[in-house]
Amino acid sequence: MQRLDLLLLALETIDLNGAESLYSLSGKLKLNEVLPNKVTIWKLRNNNPMRNSFNNNNIKFEEFEALIKLTAEMGKFLYPYIRQILQSRDDFNRNPKEWNEFKSRYIELISERFNTNSMRVKRLLDPNYNDEVFIKIILTLAFCISDDGFLKLKTTLLNY
């Protein structure tokens, strides 16, 4: 759940209306039965122990799968921006803008929503460590663009 929530947070970092977009997309994907509203999505994401508002509820597999579908589809939708961020990171000396903006906003969201006293969160906020983690998160989202992006993401998350 931690990795999935970090992926969803990265999508929210890229799409400034991320929470609304996720809920809207859940309707288009016909996930209303599992994810009937924004509050349900928020409650499920609070199963991440790194969150300030952590609740240790048992998340059902169908709920976890619905969040994965949502992540994969949102990754497809935002792929042009994901690609720009990756290109900016690869060509950091000439074009650092997109990478720096992503990283800055992502750190801001992590600081707002996660327990900054947690060692895991402190590590995410550590500039000596977080580039590697953030690149892995963006690359994981980039792998979602294929037709079987959902299956790839599901396999990655379940086997990590």
Side-chain angles (χ1 to χ4, degrees), residues 13-14 81-82 84-109 127 130-131 134-135 138:
T13 301
I14 297 166
Y81 305 103
I82 292 168
Q84 283 180 343
I85 292 166
L86 285 171
Q87 286 174 338
S88 174
R89 178 63 182 108
D90 286 344
D91 191 16
F92 188 76
N93 291 330
R94 291 190 314 187
N95 185 20
K97 183 180 180 224
E98 282 85 6
W99 175 254
N100 285 337
E101 286 177 357
F102 168 78
K103 187 175 172 179
S104 173
R105 178 149 160 72
Y106 197 50
I107 288 170
E108 182 181 312
L109 288 176
N130 61 17
D131 263 15
F134 295 173
I135 291 169
I138 291 292

PDB file of all heavy atoms in Angstrom, residues 13-14 81-82 84-109 127 130-131 134-135 138:
ATOM      1  N   THR A  13       0.880  15.055  -7.769  1.00  0.00           N
ATOM      2  CA  THR A  13       1.915  16.075  -7.930  1.00  0.00           C
ATOM      3  C   THR A  13       1.904  16.612  -9.359  1.00  0.00           C
ATOM      4  O   THR A  13       2.042  17.807  -9.579  1.00  0.00           O
ATOM      5  CB  THR A  13       3.308  15.479  -7.604  1.00  0.00           C
ATOM      6  OG1 THR A  13       3.287  14.992  -6.264  1.00  0.00           O
ATOM      7  CG2 THR A  13       4.406  16.496  -7.756  1.00  0.00           C
ATOM      8  N   ILE A  14       1.714  15.726 -10.311  1.00  0.00           N
ATOM      9  CA  ILE A  14       1.724  16.106 -11.722  1.00  0.00           C
ATOM     10  C   ILE A  14       0.420  16.799 -12.110  1.00  0.00           C
ATOM     11  O   ILE A  14       0.427  17.808 -12.804  1.00  0.00           O
ATOM     12  CB  ILE A  14       1.973  14.861 -12.605  1.00  0.00           C
ATOM     13  CG1 ILE A  14       3.358  14.270 -12.294  1.00  0.00           C
ATOM     14  CG2 ILE A  14       1.844  15.202 -14.082  1.00  0.00           C
ATOM     15  CD1 ILE A  14       3.581  12.881 -12.841  1.00  0.00           C
ATOM     16  N   TYR A  81       3.390  14.249 -19.570  1.00  0.00           N
ATOM     17  CA  TYR A  81       4.037  14.999 -18.491  1.00  0.00           C
ATOM     18  C   TYR A  81       5.097  14.152 -17.784  1.00  0.00           C
ATOM     19  O   TYR A  81       6.158  14.658 -17.418  1.00  0.00           O
ATOM     20  CB  TYR A  81       2.983  15.487 -17.487  1.00  0.00           C
ATOM     21  CG  TYR A  81       1.904  16.299 -18.147  1.00  0.00           C
ATOM     22  CD1 TYR A  81       0.651  15.753 -18.392  1.00  0.00           C
ATOM     23  CD2 TYR A  81       2.146  17.612 -18.541  1.00  0.00           C
ATOM     24  CE1 TYR A  81      -0.345  16.497 -19.017  1.00  0.00           C
ATOM     25  CE2 TYR A  81       1.160  18.361 -19.166  1.00  0.00           C
ATOM     26  CZ  TYR A  81      -0.073  17.795 -19.396  1.00  0.00           C
ATOM     27  OH  TYR A  81      -1.046  18.534 -20.019  1.00  0.00           O
ATOM     28  N   ILE A  82       4.784  12.869 -17.622  1.00  0.00           N
ATOM     29  CA  ILE A  82       5.744  11.951 -17.008  1.00  0.00           C
ATOM     30  C   ILE A  82       7.005  11.892 -17.863  1.00  0.00           C
ATOM     31  O   ILE A  82       8.124  11.940 -17.360  1.00  0.00           O
ATOM     32  CB  ILE A  82       5.111  10.551 -16.824  1.00  0.00           C
ATOM     33  CG1 ILE A  82       3.994  10.620 -15.773  1.00  0.00           C
ATOM     34  CG2 ILE A  82       6.157   9.512 -16.449  1.00  0.00           C
ATOM     35  CD1 ILE A  82       3.103   9.395 -15.714  1.00  0.00           C
ATOM     36  N   GLN A  84       8.121  14.203 -19.918  1.00  0.00           N
ATOM     37  CA  GLN A  84       8.840  15.475 -19.778  1.00  0.00           C
ATOM     38  C   GLN A  84       9.678  15.507 -18.501  1.00  0.00           C
ATOM     39  O   GLN A  84      10.811  15.991 -18.510  1.00  0.00           O
ATOM     40  CB  GLN A  84       7.867  16.654 -19.752  1.00  0.00           C
ATOM     41  CG  GLN A  84       7.331  17.044 -21.076  1.00  0.00           C
ATOM     42  CD  GLN A  84       6.374  18.236 -20.957  1.00  0.00           C
ATOM     43  OE1 GLN A  84       5.883  18.554 -19.884  1.00  0.00           O
ATOM     44  NE2 GLN A  84       6.109  18.864 -22.080  1.00  0.00           N
ATOM     45  N   ILE A  85       9.111  15.001 -17.419  1.00  0.00           N
ATOM     46  CA  ILE A  85       9.838  14.973 -16.145  1.00  0.00           C
ATOM     47  C   ILE A  85      11.063  14.073 -16.256  1.00  0.00           C
ATOM     48  O   ILE A  85      12.158  14.444 -15.819  1.00  0.00           O
ATOM     49  CB  ILE A  85       8.908  14.515 -14.997  1.00  0.00           C
ATOM     50  CG1 ILE A  85       7.833  15.577 -14.743  1.00  0.00           C
ATOM     51  CG2 ILE A  85       9.704  14.233 -13.719  1.00  0.00           C
ATOM     52  CD1 ILE A  85       6.674  15.100 -13.887  1.00  0.00           C
ATOM     53  N   LEU A  86      10.893  12.911 -16.868  1.00  0.00           N
ATOM     54  CA  LEU A  86      12.030  11.993 -17.041  1.00  0.00           C
ATOM     55  C   LEU A  86      13.093  12.598 -17.953  1.00  0.00           C
ATOM     56  O   LEU A  86      14.291  12.474 -17.677  1.00  0.00           O
ATOM     57  CB  LEU A  86      11.550  10.649 -17.604  1.00  0.00           C
ATOM     58  CG  LEU A  86      10.834   9.744 -16.616  1.00  0.00           C
ATOM     59  CD1 LEU A  86      10.213   8.558 -17.336  1.00  0.00           C
ATOM     60  CD2 LEU A  86      11.775   9.287 -15.522  1.00  0.00           C
ATOM     61  N   GLN A  87      12.683  13.236 -19.030  1.00  0.00           N
ATOM     62  CA  GLN A  87      13.650  13.877 -19.928  1.00  0.00           C
ATOM     63  C   GLN A  87      14.389  14.994 -19.214  1.00  0.00           C
ATOM     64  O   GLN A  87      15.592  15.170 -19.404  1.00  0.00           O
ATOM     65  CB  GLN A  87      12.951  14.409 -21.172  1.00  0.00           C
ATOM     66  CG  GLN A  87      12.548  13.342 -22.139  1.00  0.00           C
ATOM     67  CD  GLN A  87      11.733  13.885 -23.310  1.00  0.00           C
ATOM     68  OE1 GLN A  87      11.137  14.945 -23.236  1.00  0.00           O
ATOM     69  NE2 GLN A  87      11.700  13.109 -24.386  1.00  0.00           N
ATOM     70  N   SER A  88      13.686  15.736 -18.398  1.00  0.00           N
ATOM     71  CA  SER A  88      14.307  16.817 -17.644  1.00  0.00           C
ATOM     72  C   SER A  88      15.351  16.260 -16.681  1.00  0.00           C
ATOM     73  O   SER A  88      16.432  16.831 -16.524  1.00  0.00           O
ATOM     74  CB  SER A  88      13.245  17.604 -16.874  1.00  0.00           C
ATOM     75  OG  SER A  88      13.827  18.560 -16.033  1.00  0.00           O
ATOM     76  N   ARG A  89      15.050  15.143 -16.068  1.00  0.00           N
ATOM     77  CA  ARG A  89      16.006  14.521 -15.139  1.00  0.00           C
ATOM     78  C   ARG A  89      17.218  13.987 -15.900  1.00  0.00           C
ATOM     79  O   ARG A  89      18.349  14.107 -15.444  1.00  0.00           O
ATOM     80  CB  ARG A  89      15.314  13.403 -14.346  1.00  0.00           C
ATOM     81  CG  ARG A  89      16.238  12.665 -13.401  1.00  0.00           C
ATOM     82  CD  ARG A  89      16.774  13.604 -12.319  1.00  0.00           C
ATOM     83  NE  ARG A  89      17.676  12.907 -11.449  1.00  0.00           N
ATOM     84  CZ  ARG A  89      18.990  13.089 -11.427  1.00  0.00           C
ATOM     85  NH1 ARG A  89      19.548  13.968 -12.225  1.00  0.00           N
ATOM     86  NH2 ARG A  89      19.746  12.415 -10.617  1.00  0.00           N
ATOM     87  N   ASP A  90      16.987  13.408 -17.059  1.00  0.00           N
ATOM     88  CA  ASP A  90      18.089  12.864 -17.861  1.00  0.00           C
ATOM     89  C   ASP A  90      18.988  13.959 -18.423  1.00  0.00           C
ATOM     90  O   ASP A  90      20.169  13.751 -18.618  1.00  0.00           O
ATOM     91  CB  ASP A  90      17.546  12.007 -19.012  1.00  0.00           C
ATOM     92  CG  ASP A  90      17.012  10.678 -18.533  1.00  0.00           C
ATOM     93  OD1 ASP A  90      17.315  10.288 -17.387  1.00  0.00           O
ATOM     94  OD2 ASP A  90      16.274  10.028 -19.295  1.00  0.00           O
ATOM     95  N   ASP A  91      18.395  15.112 -18.709  1.00  0.00           N
ATOM     96  CA  ASP A  91      19.146  16.235 -19.262  1.00  0.00           C
ATOM     97  C   ASP A  91      19.156  17.375 -18.246  1.00  0.00           C
ATOM     98  O   ASP A  91      18.874  18.527 -18.561  1.00  0.00           O
ATOM     99  CB  ASP A  91      18.488  16.685 -20.573  1.00  0.00           C
ATOM    100  CG  ASP A  91      19.355  17.658 -21.345  1.00  0.00           C
ATOM    101  OD1 ASP A  91      20.552  17.762 -21.042  1.00  0.00           O
ATOM    102  OD2 ASP A  91      18.811  18.333 -22.240  1.00  0.00           O
ATOM    103  N   PHE A  92      19.490  17.021 -17.017  1.00  0.00           N
ATOM    104  CA  PHE A  92      19.360  17.941 -15.887  1.00  0.00           C
ATOM    105  C   PHE A  92      20.205  19.203 -16.047  1.00  0.00           C
ATOM    106  O   PHE A  92      19.773  20.287 -15.682  1.00  0.00           O
ATOM    107  CB  PHE A  92      19.732  17.221 -14.584  1.00  0.00           C
ATOM    108  CG  PHE A  92      19.450  18.046 -13.364  1.00  0.00           C
ATOM    109  CD1 PHE A  92      18.165  18.188 -12.902  1.00  0.00           C
ATOM    110  CD2 PHE A  92      20.473  18.694 -12.699  1.00  0.00           C
ATOM    111  CE1 PHE A  92      17.874  18.952 -11.780  1.00  0.00           C
ATOM    112  CE2 PHE A  92      20.215  19.459 -11.576  1.00  0.00           C
ATOM    113  CZ  PHE A  92      18.913  19.588 -11.116  1.00  0.00           C
ATOM    114  N   ASN A  93      21.390  19.090 -16.613  1.00  0.00           N
ATOM    115  CA  ASN A  93      22.272  20.266 -16.732  1.00  0.00           C
ATOM    116  C   ASN A  93      21.709  21.324 -17.668  1.00  0.00           C
ATOM    117  O   ASN A  93      21.903  22.518 -17.449  1.00  0.00           O
ATOM    118  CB  ASN A  93      23.666  19.844 -17.198  1.00  0.00           C
ATOM    119  CG  ASN A  93      24.379  19.052 -16.133  1.00  0.00           C
ATOM    120  OD1 ASN A  93      24.154  19.247 -14.942  1.00  0.00           O
ATOM    121  ND2 ASN A  93      25.239  18.137 -16.558  1.00  0.00           N
ATOM    122  N   ARG A  94      21.006  20.910 -18.716  1.00  0.00           N
ATOM    123  CA  ARG A  94      20.454  21.882 -19.665  1.00  0.00           C
ATOM    124  C   ARG A  94      18.996  22.230 -19.402  1.00  0.00           C
ATOM    125  O   ARG A  94      18.537  23.295 -19.774  1.00  0.00           O
ATOM    126  CB  ARG A  94      20.591  21.357 -21.090  1.00  0.00           C
ATOM    127  CG  ARG A  94      22.035  21.304 -21.551  1.00  0.00           C
ATOM    128  CD  ARG A  94      22.148  21.021 -23.001  1.00  0.00           C
ATOM    129  NE  ARG A  94      21.279  19.912 -23.421  1.00  0.00           N
ATOM    130  CZ  ARG A  94      21.282  19.387 -24.613  1.00  0.00           C
ATOM    131  NH1 ARG A  94      22.101  19.846 -25.523  1.00  0.00           N
ATOM    132  NH2 ARG A  94      20.490  18.400 -24.921  1.00  0.00           N
ATOM    133  N   ASN A  95      18.252  21.311 -18.773  1.00  0.00           N
ATOM    134  CA  ASN A  95      16.814  21.528 -18.632  1.00  0.00           C
ATOM    135  C   ASN A  95      16.294  20.955 -17.309  1.00  0.00           C
ATOM    136  O   ASN A  95      15.565  19.970 -17.299  1.00  0.00           O
ATOM    137  CB  ASN A  95      16.092  20.869 -19.815  1.00  0.00           C
ATOM    138  CG  ASN A  95      14.613  21.150 -19.805  1.00  0.00           C
ATOM    139  OD1 ASN A  95      14.143  22.096 -19.183  1.00  0.00           O
ATOM    140  ND2 ASN A  95      13.861  20.304 -20.489  1.00  0.00           N
ATOM    141  N   PRO A  96      16.633  21.563 -16.187  1.00  0.00           N
ATOM    142  CA  PRO A  96      16.222  21.007 -14.886  1.00  0.00           C
ATOM    143  C   PRO A  96      14.817  21.406 -14.430  1.00  0.00           C
ATOM    144  O   PRO A  96      14.341  20.919 -13.417  1.00  0.00           O
ATOM    145  CB  PRO A  96      17.270  21.598 -13.935  1.00  0.00           C
ATOM    146  CG  PRO A  96      17.589  22.925 -14.533  1.00  0.00           C
ATOM    147  CD  PRO A  96      17.531  22.702 -16.033  1.00  0.00           C
ATOM    148  N   LYS A  97      14.142  22.272 -15.164  1.00  0.00           N
ATOM    149  CA  LYS A  97      12.902  22.891 -14.686  1.00  0.00           C
ATOM    150  C   LYS A  97      11.827  21.876 -14.289  1.00  0.00           C
ATOM    151  O   LYS A  97      11.320  21.921 -13.168  1.00  0.00           O
ATOM    152  CB  LYS A  97      12.354  23.850 -15.740  1.00  0.00           C
ATOM    153  CG  LYS A  97      11.120  24.575 -15.266  1.00  0.00           C
ATOM    154  CD  LYS A  97      10.590  25.520 -16.335  1.00  0.00           C
ATOM    155  CE  LYS A  97       9.360  26.193 -15.796  1.00  0.00           C
ATOM    156  NZ  LYS A  97       8.292  26.254 -16.750  1.00  0.00           N
ATOM    157  N   GLU A  98      11.432  20.978 -15.199  1.00  0.00           N
ATOM    158  CA  GLU A  98      10.342  20.040 -14.908  1.00  0.00           C
ATOM    159  C   GLU A  98      10.687  19.121 -13.746  1.00  0.00           C
ATOM    160  O   GLU A  98       9.859  18.866 -12.876  1.00  0.00           O
ATOM    161  CB  GLU A  98       9.964  19.201 -16.144  1.00  0.00           C
ATOM    162  CG  GLU A  98       9.113  19.943 -17.137  1.00  0.00           C
ATOM    163  CD  GLU A  98       9.929  20.781 -18.106  1.00  0.00           C
ATOM    164  OE1 GLU A  98      11.171  20.705 -18.078  1.00  0.00           O
ATOM    165  OE2 GLU A  98       9.316  21.536 -18.876  1.00  0.00           O
ATOM    166  N   TRP A  99      11.922  18.615 -13.745  1.00  0.00           N
ATOM    167  CA  TRP A  99      12.335  17.723 -12.648  1.00  0.00           C
ATOM    168  C   TRP A  99      12.302  18.467 -11.315  1.00  0.00           C
ATOM    169  O   TRP A  99      11.763  17.957 -10.329  1.00  0.00           O
ATOM    170  CB  TRP A  99      13.720  17.141 -12.906  1.00  0.00           C
ATOM    171  CG  TRP A  99      14.199  16.334 -11.735  1.00  0.00           C
ATOM    172  CD1 TRP A  99      15.148  16.682 -10.834  1.00  0.00           C
ATOM    173  CD2 TRP A  99      13.716  15.056 -11.317  1.00  0.00           C
ATOM    174  NE1 TRP A  99      15.297  15.705  -9.886  1.00  0.00           N
ATOM    175  CE2 TRP A  99      14.421  14.703 -10.163  1.00  0.00           C
ATOM    176  CE3 TRP A  99      12.749  14.179 -11.815  1.00  0.00           C
ATOM    177  CZ2 TRP A  99      14.198  13.489  -9.493  1.00  0.00           C
ATOM    178  CZ3 TRP A  99      12.530  12.982 -11.130  1.00  0.00           C
ATOM    179  CH2 TRP A  99      13.245  12.649  -9.996  1.00  0.00           C
ATOM    180  N   ASN A 100      12.849  19.672 -11.287  1.00  0.00           N
ATOM    181  CA  ASN A 100      12.883  20.445 -10.051  1.00  0.00           C
ATOM    182  C   ASN A 100      11.479  20.790  -9.563  1.00  0.00           C
ATOM    183  O   ASN A 100      11.207  20.745  -8.364  1.00  0.00           O
ATOM    184  CB  ASN A 100      13.713  21.722 -10.212  1.00  0.00           C
ATOM    185  CG  ASN A 100      15.194  21.445 -10.222  1.00  0.00           C
ATOM    186  OD1 ASN A 100      15.652  20.419  -9.717  1.00  0.00           O
ATOM    187  ND2 ASN A 100      15.954  22.347 -10.799  1.00  0.00           N
ATOM    188  N   GLU A 101      10.588  21.143 -10.480  1.00  0.00           N
ATOM    189  CA  GLU A 101       9.209  21.454 -10.101  1.00  0.00           C
ATOM    190  C   GLU A 101       8.500  20.223  -9.545  1.00  0.00           C
ATOM    191  O   GLU A 101       7.793  20.296  -8.540  1.00  0.00           O
ATOM    192  CB  GLU A 101       8.433  22.029 -11.288  1.00  0.00           C
ATOM    193  CG  GLU A 101       8.817  23.444 -11.624  1.00  0.00           C
ATOM    194  CD  GLU A 101       8.090  23.986 -12.845  1.00  0.00           C
ATOM    195  OE1 GLU A 101       7.303  23.245 -13.484  1.00  0.00           O
ATOM    196  OE2 GLU A 101       8.312  25.169 -13.166  1.00  0.00           O
ATOM    197  N   PHE A 102       8.666  19.090 -10.230  1.00  0.00           N
ATOM    198  CA  PHE A 102       8.061  17.847  -9.743  1.00  0.00           C
ATOM    199  C   PHE A 102       8.585  17.517  -8.348  1.00  0.00           C
ATOM    200  O   PHE A 102       7.811  17.262  -7.421  1.00  0.00           O
ATOM    201  CB  PHE A 102       8.330  16.679 -10.698  1.00  0.00           C
ATOM    202  CG  PHE A 102       7.978  15.349 -10.091  1.00  0.00           C
ATOM    203  CD1 PHE A 102       6.646  14.943 -10.025  1.00  0.00           C
ATOM    204  CD2 PHE A 102       8.949  14.529  -9.555  1.00  0.00           C
ATOM    205  CE1 PHE A 102       6.307  13.726  -9.434  1.00  0.00           C
ATOM    206  CE2 PHE A 102       8.623  13.320  -8.965  1.00  0.00           C
ATOM    207  CZ  PHE A 102       7.299  12.913  -8.914  1.00  0.00           C
ATOM    208  N   LYS A 103       9.890  17.520  -8.222  1.00  0.00           N
ATOM    209  CA  LYS A 103      10.518  17.129  -6.960  1.00  0.00           C
ATOM    210  C   LYS A 103      10.086  18.063  -5.820  1.00  0.00           C
ATOM    211  O   LYS A 103       9.738  17.601  -4.729  1.00  0.00           O
ATOM    212  CB  LYS A 103      12.038  17.138  -7.131  1.00  0.00           C
ATOM    213  CG  LYS A 103      12.774  16.588  -5.951  1.00  0.00           C
ATOM    214  CD  LYS A 103      14.267  16.509  -6.244  1.00  0.00           C
ATOM    215  CE  LYS A 103      15.010  16.130  -4.989  1.00  0.00           C
ATOM    216  NZ  LYS A 103      16.439  16.020  -5.194  1.00  0.00           N
ATOM    217  N   SER A 104      10.066  19.341  -6.082  1.00  0.00           N
ATOM    218  CA  SER A 104       9.680  20.328  -5.071  1.00  0.00           C
ATOM    219  C   SER A 104       8.235  20.113  -4.613  1.00  0.00           C
ATOM    220  O   SER A 104       7.942  20.090  -3.416  1.00  0.00           O
ATOM    221  CB  SER A 104       9.871  21.731  -5.632  1.00  0.00           C
ATOM    222  OG  SER A 104       9.375  22.684  -4.753  1.00  0.00           O
ATOM    223  N   ARG A 105       7.334  19.955  -5.565  1.00  0.00           N
ATOM    224  CA  ARG A 105       5.919  19.757  -5.212  1.00  0.00           C
ATOM    225  C   ARG A 105       5.706  18.413  -4.533  1.00  0.00           C
ATOM    226  O   ARG A 105       4.916  18.311  -3.587  1.00  0.00           O
ATOM    227  CB  ARG A 105       5.049  19.874  -6.460  1.00  0.00           C
ATOM    228  CG  ARG A 105       3.588  19.633  -6.174  1.00  0.00           C
ATOM    229  CD  ARG A 105       2.675  20.407  -7.076  1.00  0.00           C
ATOM    230  NE  ARG A 105       1.348  19.851  -7.120  1.00  0.00           N
ATOM    231  CZ  ARG A 105       0.454  19.904  -6.134  1.00  0.00           C
ATOM    232  NH1 ARG A 105       0.754  20.498  -5.014  1.00  0.00           N
ATOM    233  NH2 ARG A 105      -0.742  19.359  -6.260  1.00  0.00           N
ATOM    234  N   TYR A 106       6.394  17.378  -4.982  1.00  0.00           N
ATOM    235  CA  TYR A 106       6.264  16.041  -4.384  1.00  0.00           C
ATOM    236  C   TYR A 106       6.720  16.071  -2.925  1.00  0.00           C
ATOM    237  O   TYR A 106       6.041  15.549  -2.042  1.00  0.00           O
ATOM    238  CB  TYR A 106       7.076  15.042  -5.207  1.00  0.00           C
ATOM    239  CG  TYR A 106       6.728  13.597  -4.982  1.00  0.00           C
ATOM    240  CD1 TYR A 106       5.409  13.145  -5.019  1.00  0.00           C
ATOM    241  CD2 TYR A 106       7.726  12.663  -4.770  1.00  0.00           C
ATOM    242  CE1 TYR A 106       5.102  11.814  -4.835  1.00  0.00           C
ATOM    243  CE2 TYR A 106       7.422  11.328  -4.587  1.00  0.00           C
ATOM    244  CZ  TYR A 106       6.112  10.906  -4.616  1.00  0.00           C
ATOM    245  OH  TYR A 106       5.801   9.583  -4.435  1.00  0.00           O
ATOM    246  N   ILE A 107       7.846  16.714  -2.673  1.00  0.00           N
ATOM    247  CA  ILE A 107       8.346  16.848  -1.307  1.00  0.00           C
ATOM    248  C   ILE A 107       7.351  17.636  -0.450  1.00  0.00           C
ATOM    249  O   ILE A 107       7.101  17.295   0.707  1.00  0.00           O
ATOM    250  CB  ILE A 107       9.748  17.504  -1.300  1.00  0.00           C
ATOM    251  CG1 ILE A 107      10.779  16.504  -1.824  1.00  0.00           C
ATOM    252  CG2 ILE A 107      10.134  18.007   0.076  1.00  0.00           C
ATOM    253  CD1 ILE A 107      12.143  17.095  -2.090  1.00  0.00           C
ATOM    254  N   GLU A 108       6.769  18.656  -1.039  1.00  0.00           N
ATOM    255  CA  GLU A 108       5.773  19.463  -0.325  1.00  0.00           C
ATOM    256  C   GLU A 108       4.559  18.617   0.073  1.00  0.00           C
ATOM    257  O   GLU A 108       4.091  18.690   1.213  1.00  0.00           O
ATOM    258  CB  GLU A 108       5.339  20.626  -1.217  1.00  0.00           C
ATOM    259  CG  GLU A 108       4.351  21.576  -0.613  1.00  0.00           C
ATOM    260  CD  GLU A 108       3.969  22.673  -1.603  1.00  0.00           C
ATOM    261  OE1 GLU A 108       4.876  23.270  -2.220  1.00  0.00           O
ATOM    262  OE2 GLU A 108       2.753  22.902  -1.758  1.00  0.00           O
ATOM    263  N   LEU A 109       4.063  17.797  -0.855  1.00  0.00           N
ATOM    264  CA  LEU A 109       2.913  16.945  -0.552  1.00  0.00           C
ATOM    265  C   LEU A 109       3.258  15.875   0.479  1.00  0.00           C
ATOM    266  O   LEU A 109       2.448  15.572   1.359  1.00  0.00           O
ATOM    267  CB  LEU A 109       2.369  16.299  -1.830  1.00  0.00           C
ATOM    268  CG  LEU A 109       1.640  17.226  -2.792  1.00  0.00           C
ATOM    269  CD1 LEU A 109       1.231  16.478  -4.060  1.00  0.00           C
ATOM    270  CD2 LEU A 109       0.431  17.855  -2.136  1.00  0.00           C
ATOM    271  N   PRO A 127      17.508  14.898   0.671  1.00  0.00           N
ATOM    272  CA  PRO A 127      17.957  15.157  -0.706  1.00  0.00           C
ATOM    273  C   PRO A 127      19.092  14.235  -1.172  1.00  0.00           C
ATOM    274  O   PRO A 127      19.283  14.059  -2.366  1.00  0.00           O
ATOM    275  CB  PRO A 127      18.430  16.614  -0.681  1.00  0.00           C
ATOM    276  CG  PRO A 127      18.362  17.067   0.721  1.00  0.00           C
ATOM    277  CD  PRO A 127      17.697  16.027   1.550  1.00  0.00           C
ATOM    278  N   ASN A 130      16.519  10.911  -1.970  1.00  0.00           N
ATOM    279  CA  ASN A 130      15.217  10.891  -2.628  1.00  0.00           C
ATOM    280  C   ASN A 130      15.236  10.901  -4.153  1.00  0.00           C
ATOM    281  O   ASN A 130      14.297  10.432  -4.766  1.00  0.00           O
ATOM    282  CB  ASN A 130      14.292  11.980  -2.082  1.00  0.00           C
ATOM    283  CG  ASN A 130      14.809  13.376  -2.265  1.00  0.00           C
ATOM    284  OD1 ASN A 130      15.700  13.633  -3.059  1.00  0.00           O
ATOM    285  ND2 ASN A 130      14.234  14.295  -1.512  1.00  0.00           N
ATOM    286  N   ASP A 131      16.280  11.401  -4.789  1.00  0.00           N
ATOM    287  CA  ASP A 131      16.319  11.366  -6.263  1.00  0.00           C
ATOM    288  C   ASP A 131      16.127   9.946  -6.784  1.00  0.00           C
ATOM    289  O   ASP A 131      15.352   9.716  -7.712  1.00  0.00           O
ATOM    290  CB  ASP A 131      17.649  11.916  -6.781  1.00  0.00           C
ATOM    291  CG  ASP A 131      17.565  13.367  -7.191  1.00  0.00           C
ATOM    292  OD1 ASP A 131      16.579  14.039  -6.824  1.00  0.00           O
ATOM    293  OD2 ASP A 131      18.488  13.835  -7.868  1.00  0.00           O
ATOM    294  N   PHE A 134      12.494   8.839  -6.212  1.00  0.00           N
ATOM    295  CA  PHE A 134      11.565   9.574  -7.072  1.00  0.00           C
ATOM    296  C   PHE A 134      11.674   9.124  -8.524  1.00  0.00           C
ATOM    297  O   PHE A 134      10.671   9.030  -9.226  1.00  0.00           O
ATOM    298  CB  PHE A 134      11.795  11.079  -6.961  1.00  0.00           C
ATOM    299  CG  PHE A 134      11.494  11.662  -5.592  1.00  0.00           C
ATOM    300  CD1 PHE A 134      11.796  12.972  -5.315  1.00  0.00           C
ATOM    301  CD2 PHE A 134      10.921  10.902  -4.585  1.00  0.00           C
ATOM    302  CE1 PHE A 134      11.523  13.531  -4.067  1.00  0.00           C
ATOM    303  CE2 PHE A 134      10.647  11.434  -3.331  1.00  0.00           C
ATOM    304  CZ  PHE A 134      10.947  12.757  -3.074  1.00  0.00           C
ATOM    305  N   ILE A 135      12.883   8.838  -8.978  1.00  0.00           N
ATOM    306  CA  ILE A 135      13.061   8.333 -10.346  1.00  0.00           C
ATOM    307  C   ILE A 135      12.370   6.983 -10.501  1.00  0.00           C
ATOM    308  O   ILE A 135      11.686   6.731 -11.500  1.00  0.00           O
ATOM    309  CB  ILE A 135      14.565   8.246 -10.707  1.00  0.00           C
ATOM    310  CG1 ILE A 135      15.148   9.644 -10.843  1.00  0.00           C
ATOM    311  CG2 ILE A 135      14.773   7.435 -11.978  1.00  0.00           C
ATOM    312  CD1 ILE A 135      16.655   9.681 -10.923  1.00  0.00           C
ATOM    313  N   ILE A 138       8.618   7.584 -10.822  1.00  0.00           N
ATOM    314  CA  ILE A 138       8.242   8.108 -12.140  1.00  0.00           C
ATOM    315  C   ILE A 138       8.396   7.027 -13.213  1.00  0.00           C
ATOM    316  O   ILE A 138       7.548   6.892 -14.095  1.00  0.00           O
ATOM    317  CB  ILE A 138       9.083   9.366 -12.481  1.00  0.00           C
ATOM    318  CG1 ILE A 138       8.685  10.524 -11.576  1.00  0.00           C
ATOM    319  CG2 ILE A 138       8.931   9.772 -13.933  1.00  0.00           C
ATOM    320  CD1 ILE A 138       7.291  11.053 -11.809  1.00  0.00           C
TER     321      ILE A 138
END
